Amino acid sequence: MSVMNYSDAGKVALAECMRADPTIWAVGEDLGHGGVFGQYMGLEEEFGPERIVSAPISEAAIMGSAVGGALTGTRPIVELRFADFALCAIDEIVNQAAKARYMFGGQAKVPLVIRQPSGMWRASAAQHSQSLEAWYTHIPGLVVVMPATPADNYGLLKAAIECDDPVVYMEHKDLWPLEGEVPEGHTVEIGKASVLHEGSDVTIVTWSKTRHVALEATKTLARSGTSVELFDLRSLWPWDRECVLASAAKTGRLIVAHEAVRDGGFGAEVAATAAEEVAGLKLARIGAPRIPIPYSTPLEDMVRVTAETIIGAVERLA
Amino acid sequence: MSVMNYSDAGKVALAECMRADPTIWAVGEDLGHGGVFGQYMGLEEEFGPERIVSAPISEAAIMGSAVGGALTGTRPIVELRFADFALCAIDEIVNQAAKARYMFGGQAKVPLVIRQPSGMWRASAAQHSQSLEAWYTHIPGLVVVMPATPADNYGLLKAAIECDDPVVYMEHKDLWPLEGEVPEGHTVEIGKASVLHEGSDVTIVTWSKTRHVALEATKTLARSGTSVELFDLRSLWPWDRECVLASAAKTGRLIVAHEAVRDGGFGAEVAATAAEEVAGLKLARIGAPRIPIPYSTPLEDMVRVTAETIIGAVERLA
Amino acid sequence: MPDPFPSPQRVLDHYATMCRIRAFERMVIRGTEEGLVKGAAHLSIGQEAVAVGVCGNLRRSDQIASNHRGHGHTIAKGADPEAMMRELFGREGGICSGKGGSMHIADFDVGMLGANGIVGAGILIAVGAAKSKKMLGTNDIVVCFFGDGAVNRGPFLEGLNWARVFNLPVLFVCEDNKYAATTRTEQLTGGSGPAVRAESLGIPAKIADGNDVISLDALVGGLVEDIRGGGGPLFLHVETYRHIGHTVVDPATYRPEAEVEEAKTRDPIERAKAFLLDNGTLEVDLGRIAVDAEKEMNAAFELARDASWPRLPAVLSDVQDIGAPA
Amino acid sequence: MPDPFPSPQRVLDHYATMCRIRAFERMVIRGTEEGLVKGAAHLSIGQEAVAVGVCGNLRRSDQIASNHRGHGHTIAKGADPEAMMRELFGREGGICSGKGGSMHIADFDVGMLGANGIVGAGILIAVGAAKSKKMLGTNDIVVCFFGDGAVNRGPFLEGLNWARVFNLPVLFVCEDNKYAATTRTEQLTGGSGPAVRAESLGIPAKIADGNDVISLDALVGGLVEDIRGGGGPLFLHVETYRHIGHTVVDPATYRPEAEVEEAKTRDPIERAKAFLLDNGTLEVDLGRIAVDAEKEMNAAFELARDASWPRLPAVLSDVQDIGAPA
Ligand SMILES: Cc1ncc(C[n+]2csc(CCOP(=O)(O)OP(=O)(O)O)c2C)c(N)n1
Ligand SMILES: Cc1ncc(C[n+]2csc(CCOP(=O)(O)OP(=O)(O)O)c2C)c(N)n1
Ligand SMILES: [Mg+2]
Ligand SMILES: [Mg+2]
């Protein structure tokens, strides 16, 4: 068991996997100098530039060459720097990586991980702040993972690397320095939610950075006597339907909260599924307004989901 | 009033707008020869190659140059050939077109139309059949329109061209030959659903080609005594919430049916909104399974939403 | 280094493979007319020498990435035409289980990494496959086929630059049939052509007659040897022509008739035939090769036509391991 | 055609604009240190001659598209530094109403179409703006600034080819500071450089010293005249260096110290100063220009710092006309 931050947890997971399997390689801009957030610091020294590949500014080629590599016996880890830049490589992710196995009738699998640091971070404005996880959940062939703690980043990145599917792996940029315990040999199964709090009055489902906001709200609500059952989905495709539906059936109230734009967000999928399955469920979705992320800090703050917003929604559902 | 097909209705709308406004130009591959589906046939002859621009196979430049044009006083109509190829121009649509007005504090608007022929058509397989409307509804700044009849294609394309926002305009490839009446000077407001059938037992919400399937189901159900209220949303952003919510409150049952993948589809947004707003609502979503579209006809047919599927869902909700 | 004295047997083999490709694609026309091929099919009739002249220099463990016009590449790399025809007819036993069709034809067993419905996409898949080759310590190479239209897409620049800076074992083959769908490519392509573009990215380039399988074969032999030796990526611009439309159903009225007729005089199969006759092969032997090819493809056609449809539950398989549809 | 005898007043003006850009960016460093600039800011300290030598040849109605390193371009094109500083501090009266920040700085009134957070995206916006210029029947031109790193992105190929085949009035300016973030660009760029790539796409290209505002000014004057005359797109590769890190907070340890020191000896402001002194301008006059620039930017800093925050309801405005958030 050791304490490490979210960034290092990912790095340790990657390094352990690379030591065990010589066919794994990582590719992205500036990786040789540690990557833009330092998540790869020191890895080029250990694994060399053939396995920690510093790429030109060619997102399509970064992603497309990884698809080619994955189809032919190696296991690429793609670093896209900001989730927003993945938009320069969408054909390669959606038309190629996600569909190749199926289109070719199962002749090859596409074992690759597509790291896309996501979310709002330090006044980064509209082109460096997006949370687009909902898009990837809608694309057959893709797995979608969004860890929110060091332990989950360690366990889920390992699971993603070991998995033979293309995994969109979204770390949250605001969580890099977050410290936490990572048990030795820790494993996390893709598709299993983590239960952060058991309760009976209302179910809250969330993921990524909003997990921490929701936990704060849960604690505040506990003090005023409202008992919340709180889940961090951790992976959005597959997502832990059973767990959410059982809890929603128990509490009769469901709130889904995420940082992404509310309209058309993955919260809609969770809420709609629960509404189909649980009769008489009361529900509310919380997310960003449908606006690009503004730069100015007070404006940017208006986009963020806060504990107060969540508490307000719980109160309105009561 | 005249009868024309869906393809010609779009062409007539475009030609009328181009005659009225010399700043409008269209750009896409093979437009000088009528476009891949003939929707531009004859327009180069009338407007010349400066306004009906035949482009190289450069989707990013087709889209990006349209953004630049829209920011600087002209009004581009982008033809992306197949919605699937829009994935080669996603940065330009999402990071540039959708955000420019906001990022620049309203200094300029982005009046452009992005035509993306969508949907399944004639065994076109995984890279030529997608319905990705849900993606665009999730992106602030974009308007999303999906006409299903000649009259709507005429009226809505005109409205899209006249609008100062970037409009993702998705015609359905299987509807090109569909004939229908287009009243002289017909107008359609973006954001208003069309009511195809009034009823009291169940509300069905749909759009694009599935409108026709749902209408068939509605007629069959009427014969067996089930009274359906059927809406074609026609535009998905904005969408006609008021209309859908009022009907859902009246019937207490809501079905949303679309051709796109069910998981994470725009049906989730409609269903979740209704579940939030209408207490005790029973609901069901219908869409494609989460698989790439297969080529072989019997397999492809399994992906299609049919009248039987819709009727089955209505019966289960009863 | 082009070999001025090609072995007659080698030319004969190439002739046979070209005849097989042509016969296969004639059956695709028939299949389309009879409603058996449902999706769009892009044929390489007139371009067979490119597939054959290139793939004839590859090992089974070398790999190719193709574009939408991939039947010829696939057959030349060694795939089974019957499984291909079943695929195009969407039947059980299709090479992609009926899920891909013409535009996604692939045979990983013979090193054919797939046609592609997205123009230019194969370029990036090829450089990635070449990275695998290098990492896995083989001296296999990868060939990427694409059209003259693809040189205007971003992946052309990104992929070629990538291959150069990482010194990957790739041969880029730009199969220039002068048109991209209805568009005469040179009208929408700046500069002095694909080879100059490749050289500007640091990749040595050659230009060749794509209708002469003999000289092409020899030229490619040298290029493949250089790449296999670790010399890094090379580029080959081959000039050819498609005899029919962009797809089977395209009447191609945008091309001057005289241009088409002139191009047909350079039919690669007729040229190989003329060479072989000049060099002592008997007309009757050549005739038998052509007839055998037609018989083979006719049999493939009939077996595919009579094959059953895929089992319906297969629609849900091979999507993904985790989170697959139930 | 470079003019060997530049007018002293013109050089003095350029000197003044370079001093103003430098002074502005020094205030951005201070603003970052004091926590007033919250987002990433990319400075052009050391590269000022490019913005000034190019924009000095443009009319107000000419337009420019920029990249992430856009303060210098914006000031050189005539924007108000106070409104820019308010923007960087996220305040009321910001040039983009506080919604954009450094990476989206823009001033459409003076023909500055925006910085861009996506490397290479401005290239396509520029060609589109040039299409508007042409369609609207003006003889205005568009200039596009981008870095050496952008030449490896697909839009470089697509945009340059586009400008060529549609003969659009664009000047492409590749501002080569040798690095793309932490990466020495030449290590990841195949071929013989940006100018060769441009020429392979049919666009005539020049290479120039980007730290000598005088020769650059004269060279660009000729290029702009050619483009304005309808000659079609041109390309200019300028060699320069950024004195500090990629962003304000980057210590740039990946660059050899000697390289940085050597580059600083070619400081464009010092070079213009030396020229002016050699040609009779008084040291005291140059000093006053520098001091005025500092005063101006200091005042901009203070006004921005003391400005109020944007009104919160504005967060929902300027998204779209139809379907705007309520
Ligand atoms: C990204 C993309 N854009 C457009 C198309 C439509 N399309 C399919 S083939 C083709 C022409 C390709 O021309 P070329 O590369 O010369 O190949 P050819 O068909 O001549 O063999 C086009 C435009 C596509 N499939 N993908
Ligand atoms: C598509 C994309 N990829 C990566 C980045 C991250 N990034 C921002 S600036 C930069 C380096 C750009 O280098 P260059 O074009 O030489 O401009 P310079 O910063 O040197 O002025 C990178 C990689 C980005 N903003 N957009
Ligand atoms: Mg071609
Ligand atoms: Mg640079």
Side-chain angles (χ1 to χ4, degrees):
Chain A
M1 161 105 70
S2 58
V3 171
M4 58 181 96
N5 69 29
Y6 182 78
S7 171
D8 285 343
K11 188 167 75 178
V12 170
L14 177 57
E16 288 177 5
C17 291
M18 289 186 73
R19 276 175 216 130
D21 181 349
T23 69
I24 298 173
W25 51 291
V27 57
E29 296 150 13
D30 300 300
L31 295 200
H33 291 102
V36 70
F37 299 107
Q39 336 80 298
Y40 297 82
M41 198 63 77
L43 296 185
E44 192 198 55
E45 286 79 346
E46 178 173 356
F47 298 104
E50 293 283 324
R51 294 186 64 198
I52 299 291
V53 180
S54 292
I57 309 178
S58 304
E59 279 73 14
I62 291 169
M63 192 60 227
S65 71
V67 177
L71 285 170
T72 55
T74 59
R75 304 181 74 89
I77 315 294
V78 169
E79 173 57 58
L80 285 173
R81 197 173 184 124
F82 281 73
D84 314 74
F85 307 162
L87 305 194
C88 301
I90 284 292
D91 173 60
E92 291 73 21
I93 298 174
V94 171
N95 281 334
Q96 313 299 334
K99 298 181 179 26
R101 176 175 172 184
Y102 191 81
M103 290 188 303
F104 301 145
Q107 293 186 58
K109 295 186 178 183
V110 189
L112 62 84
V113 180
I114 309 164
R115 290 176 87 173
Q116 300 194 14
S118 291
M120 281 186 277
W121 172 71
R122 217 188 70 183
S124 301
Q127 291 175 340
H128 287 71
S129 302
Q130 291 167 86
S131 294
L132 291 176
E133 65 270 21
W135 277 23
Y136 303 106
T137 65
H138 189 47
I139 303 300
L142 297 179
V143 170
V144 184
V145 175
M146 286 190 100
T149 67
D152 282 349
N153 203 17
Y154 174 87
L156 285 166
L157 188 54
K158 279 200 146 179
I161 294 172
E162 281 158 16
C163 157
D164 278 349
D165 298 321
V167 179
V168 174
Y169 194 88
M170 304 179 117
E171 286 149 300
H172 196 292
K173 299 194 287 288
D174 231 8
L175 297 179
W176 296 123
L178 181 76
E179 305 251 327
E181 285 180 357
V182 179
E184 189 95 33
H186 183 58
T187 62
V188 184
E189 188 184 339
I190 292 174
K192 291 277 168 269
S194 85
V195 188
L196 303 184
H197 199 271
E198 297 194 3
S200 51
D201 294 334
V202 58
T203 302
I204 301 183
V205 173
T206 186
W207 54 87
S208 191
K209 192 188 160 194
T210 312
R211 164 201 170 113
H212 302 287
V213 179
L215 187 56
E216 191 191 324
T218 297
K219 288 179 183 159
T220 306
L221 285 162
R223 283 193 290 275
S224 65
T226 302
S227 160
V228 172
E229 190 140 290
L230 176 63
F231 298 97
D232 174 359
L233 284 186
R234 303 193 287 192
S235 64
L236 303 190
W237 197 270
W239 64 283
D240 201 336
R241 279 170 56 104
E242 291 65 35
C243 179
V244 170
L245 294 180
S247 177
K250 178 173 81 176
T251 65
R253 286 175 178 76
L254 172 67
I255 287 175
V256 195
H258 55 63
E259 178 176 323
V261 168
R262 183 181 180 282
D263 305 286
F266 189 68
E269 178 63 30
V270 175
T273 302
E276 285 171 315
E277 301 292 331
V278 181
L281 184 68
K282 289 187 172 180
L283 62 86
R285 288 177 296 147
I286 299 172
R290 195 172 179 278
I291 60 175
I293 315 272
Y295 167 76
S296 172
T297 298
L299 300 184
E300 189 191 36
D301 283 342
M302 291 185 69
V303 179
R304 291 179 206 275
V305 171
T306 62
E308 291 68 49
T309 325
I310 294 174
I311 292 167
V314 169
E315 283 164 357
R316 273 193 303 282
L317 272 201
Chain B
M1 162 102 70
S2 56
V3 171
M4 57 181 97
N5 70 29
Y6 182 78
S7 170
D8 286 343
K11 188 167 75 178
V12 171
L14 176 57
E16 288 177 6
C17 290
M18 289 187 73
R19 277 174 213 130
D21 182 348
T23 68
I24 298 172
W25 49 293
V27 57
E29 296 149 12
D30 301 299
L31 294 200
H33 291 104
V36 69
F37 300 106
Q39 335 83 298
Y40 297 83
M41 198 62 78
L43 296 185
E44 193 198 55
E45 285 79 346
E46 177 172 357
F47 299 104
E50 292 283 324
R51 295 184 67 199
I52 299 290
V53 180
S54 293
I57 309 178
S58 303
E59 279 73 15
I62 291 170
M63 191 62 226
S65 72
V67 177
L71 286 169
T72 55
T74 59
R75 303 180 74 86
I77 315 295
V78 169
E79 173 57 58
L80 284 172
R81 198 172 183 123
F82 281 73
D84 314 73
F85 307 161
L87 304 194
C88 302
I90 284 293
D91 175 60
E92 291 72 22
I93 298 175
V94 171
N95 281 334
Q96 312 299 334
K99 298 181 178 31
R101 175 173 172 185
Y102 191 82
M103 290 190 301
F104 301 146
Q107 292 185 59
K109 294 184 178 183
V110 189
L112 63 83
V113 180
I114 309 164
R115 291 175 86 173
Q116 298 193 15
S118 292
M120 279 186 278
W121 172 71
R122 219 189 65 183
S124 301
Q127 290 177 338
H128 287 71
S129 303
Q130 291 168 88
S131 294
L132 291 176
E133 65 269 21
W135 276 25
Y136 303 106
T137 66
H138 190 48
I139 302 301
L142 297 180
V143 171
V144 184
V145 175
M146 285 190 103
T149 67
D152 283 350
N153 203 16
Y154 175 87
L156 285 166
L157 187 55
K158 279 201 146 179
I161 294 172
E162 280 157 17
C163 157
D164 278 349
D165 298 320
V167 179
V168 175
Y169 194 87
M170 304 179 118
E171 286 149 300
H172 196 292
K173 298 195 287 289
D174 230 9
L175 297 179
W176 296 124
L178 181 75
E179 304 251 328
E181 285 179 357
V182 179
E184 189 95 32
H186 184 57
T187 62
V188 183
E189 190 183 337
I190 292 173
K192 292 276 170 270
S194 83
V195 189
L196 303 185
H197 198 272
E198 297 194 4
S200 52
D201 294 333
V202 57
T203 303
I204 301 183
V205 173
T206 186
W207 53 87
S208 192
K209 191 188 161 193
T210 312
R211 165 204 169 111
H212 303 287
V213 179
L215 188 56
E216 190 191 325
T218 297
K219 288 179 183 159
T220 306
L221 286 162
R223 283 193 290 275
S224 65
T226 303
S227 159
V228 172
E229 190 140 290
L230 175 63
F231 298 98
D232 174 359
L233 284 186
R234 303 193 286 194
S235 65
L236 302 191
W237 197 271
W239 63 283
D240 201 336
R241 278 170 57 104
E242 291 65 35
C243 180
V244 171
L245 295 181
S247 177
K250 179 174 81 177
T251 64
R253 286 175 179 74
L254 174 67
I255 286 174
V256 195
H258 55 61
E259 178 175 324
V261 167
R262 182 181 182 281
D263 305 286
F266 190 67
E269 178 62 32
V270 175
T273 302
E276 285 171 314
E277 300 293 332
V278 180
L281 184 67
K282 288 188 173 178
L283 61 86
R285 289 178 294 147
I286 298 172
R290 195 171 179 277
I291 61 174
I293 315 271
Y295 167 77
S296 172
T297 298
L299 300 184
E300 189 191 35
D301 283 342
M302 291 186 70
V303 180
R304 291 180 206 274
V305 171
T306 62
E308 291 68 50
T309 325
I310 295 175
I311 292 167
V314 169
E315 284 164 358
R316 272 191 305 282
L317 272 201
Chain C
M1 181 118 343
D3 176 355
F5 306 110
S7 96
Q9 186 55 48
R10 190 168 172 99
V11 180
L12 212 57
D13 287 348
H14 288 346
Y15 177 74
T17 309
M18 291 197 292
C19 288
R20 292 175 65 235
I21 294 172
R22 175 103 21 126
F24 180 88
E25 297 206 309
R26 288 228 173 98
M27 288 296 158
V28 177
I29 296 177
R30 182 175 151 204
T32 303
E33 285 164 0
E34 295 184 14
L36 294 163
V37 176
K38 294 270 200 269
H42 303 82
L43 305 188
S44 60
I45 293 179
Q47 306 183 198
E48 296 89 345
V50 181
V52 174
V54 172
C55 294
N57 285 287
L58 302 181
R59 308 173 179 159
R60 189 182 173 106
S61 55
D62 292 329
Q63 291 172 325
I64 65 171
S66 174
N67 63 355
H68 52 284
R69 202 174 298 287
H71 306 148
H73 310 141
T74 311
I75 293 173
K77 192 70 177 66
D80 170 18
E82 186 199 323
M84 291 173 64
M85 197 68 82
R86 285 173 181 256
E87 185 62 31
L88 270 66
F89 290 6
R91 303 304 166 106
E92 186 72 38
I95 204 160
C96 299
S97 307
K99 288 172 175 166
S102 169
M103 240 184 310
H104 306 296
I105 201 96
D107 187 351
F108 279 62
D109 278 348
V110 301
M112 159 56 183
L113 302 179
N116 210 303
I118 303 296
V119 168
I123 296 175
L124 302 178
I125 290 173
V127 299
K131 167 75 177 170
S132 283
K133 297 289 179 205
K134 207 174 166 185
M135 258 188 86
L136 298 174
T138 76
N139 71 346
D140 293 332
I141 78 157
V142 180
V143 174
C144 179
F145 293 99
F146 51 89
D148 43 303
V151 306
N152 290 326
R153 280 211 63 226
F156 177 87
L157 177 141
E158 295 195 11
L160 268 66
N161 182 64
W162 192 276
R164 171 71 286 154
V165 301
F166 298 116
N167 203 44
L168 297 174
V170 195
L171 174 63
F172 296 101
V173 179
C174 178
E175 206 166 341
D176 180 1
N177 58 15
K178 309 284 174 256
Y179 286 82
T182 73
T183 300
R184 207 172 155 78
T185 311
E186 68 180 9
Q187 290 175 354
L188 293 178
T189 306
S192 312
V196 172
R197 290 192 181 186
E199 298 218 314
S200 82
L201 297 162
I203 303 192
K206 294 261 186 271
I207 302 179
D209 179 348
N211 288 356
D212 178 9
V213 75
I214 299 164
S215 62
L216 190 64
D217 178 26
L219 174 63
V220 172
L223 302 180
V224 165
E225 206 175 302
D226 287 354
I227 297 170
R228 210 183 288 295
L234 294 173
F235 189 93
L236 178 62
H237 173 194
V238 288
E239 299 186 295
T240 182
Y241 202 81
R242 58 167 154 80
H243 288 183
I244 67 156
H246 175 60
T247 59
V248 174
V249 299
D250 168 22
T253 51
Y254 45 83
R255 303 191 304 190
E257 217 163 299
E259 177 185 293
V260 180
E261 289 316 311
E262 195 278 330
K264 283 187 180 166
T265 65
R266 286 177 281 103
D267 183 320
I269 296 185
E270 292 305 318
R271 280 171 71 176
K273 186 170 173 181
F275 173 91
L276 286 163
L277 290 174
D278 280 0
N279 286 273
T281 314
L282 298 180
E283 177 115 38
V284 54
D285 289 334
L286 294 180
R288 207 191 39 248
I289 288 175
V291 168
D292 284 352
E294 272 163 43
K295 276 197 196 143
E296 179 191 5
M297 300 311 165
N298 204 56
F301 181 97
E302 290 178 358
L303 286 165
R305 184 192 53 201
D306 300 340
S308 56
W309 295 106
R311 292 167 311 103
L312 297 182
V315 77
L316 297 182
S317 67
D318 284 321
V319 177
Q320 57 197 109
D321 287 344
I322 299 188
Chain D
M1 183 122 338
D3 177 354
F5 306 110
S7 97
Q9 185 56 46
R10 189 168 173 99
V11 180
L12 213 56
D13 286 348
H14 288 345
Y15 177 75
T17 309
M18 290 196 294
C19 287
R20 292 174 65 237
I21 294 171
R22 174 98 30 121
F24 179 88
E25 297 206 310
R26 287 230 174 96
M27 287 297 157
V28 177
I29 297 177
R30 184 175 148 202
T32 303
E33 285 165 0
E34 295 184 14
L36 293 162
V37 176
K38 293 272 199 270
H42 303 83
L43 305 187
S44 60
I45 292 177
Q47 307 183 197
E48 295 90 344
V50 180
V52 173
V54 171
C55 293
N57 286 288
L58 302 182
R59 308 170 178 161
R60 190 182 173 105
S61 55
D62 292 329
Q63 292 172 325
I64 64 171
S66 173
N67 62 353
H68 53 284
R69 201 174 297 288
H71 306 146
H73 310 141
T74 312
I75 292 173
K77 193 69 176 65
D80 171 17
E82 186 198 322
M84 290 173 64
M85 198 68 83
R86 285 174 180 255
E87 185 62 30
L88 270 66
F89 290 7
R91 302 306 166 104
E92 186 72 40
I95 205 161
C96 299
S97 307
K99 288 173 175 164
S102 169
M103 237 180 315
H104 307 296
I105 201 94
D107 187 351
F108 279 62
D109 278 348
V110 302
M112 159 55 185
L113 303 179
N116 210 303
I118 302 297
V119 168
I123 296 175
L124 302 179
I125 290 174
V127 299
K131 166 75 177 172
S132 284
K133 297 289 180 203
K134 207 174 166 186
M135 256 188 87
L136 298 173
T138 75
N139 70 347
D140 293 332
I141 77 156
V142 180
V143 173
C144 180
F145 293 98
F146 52 89
D148 43 305
V151 307
N152 291 326
R153 280 212 63 225
F156 177 88
L157 176 142
E158 295 196 10
L160 267 67
N161 182 63
W162 192 276
R164 171 71 286 154
V165 300
F166 298 116
N167 203 42
L168 297 173
V170 195
L171 175 62
F172 296 101
V173 180
C174 178
E175 207 166 339
D176 179 2
N177 58 16
K178 310 281 173 254
Y179 287 83
T182 72
T183 299
R184 209 173 154 77
T185 312
E186 67 181 7
Q187 289 174 353
L188 294 178
T189 307
S192 312
V196 172
R197 290 190 181 188
E199 299 217 314
S200 81
L201 297 162
I203 303 191
K206 294 260 186 274
I207 302 178
D209 179 348
N211 287 356
D212 178 8
V213 76
I214 298 164
S215 62
L216 190 64
D217 178 25
L219 174 64
V220 172
L223 301 180
V224 166
E225 207 175 299
D226 287 352
I227 296 170
R228 212 184 287 296
L234 294 173
F235 189 92
L236 179 61
H237 173 195
V238 288
E239 298 186 296
T240 182
Y241 202 82
R242 59 170 153 77
H243 288 184
I244 67 158
H246 175 60
T247 60
V248 174
V249 299
D250 168 22
T253 49
Y254 45 83
R255 303 190 305 190
E257 218 165 296
E259 175 185 294
V260 180
E261 290 316 312
E262 194 277 330
K264 283 187 179 166
T265 64
R266 287 177 280 106
D267 183 321
I269 297 185
E270 291 305 318
R271 281 171 70 177
K273 186 170 172 180
F275 173 91
L276 287 162
L277 290 173
D278 279 359
N279 286 273
T281 313
L282 297 180
E283 175 115 39
V284 53
D285 289 335
L286 294 181
R288 208 190 40 248
I289 286 173
V291 168
D292 284 353
E294 273 164 39
K295 277 197 192 141
E296 178 192 4
M297 300 310 166
N298 204 56
F301 181 100
E302 290 179 355
L303 285 164
R305 182 192 54 203
D306 300 341
S308 57
W309 295 107
R311 292 164 312 102
L312 296 184
V315 77
L316 297 183
S317 66
D318 285 322
V319 178
Q320 59 195 109
D321 287 346
I322 299 188

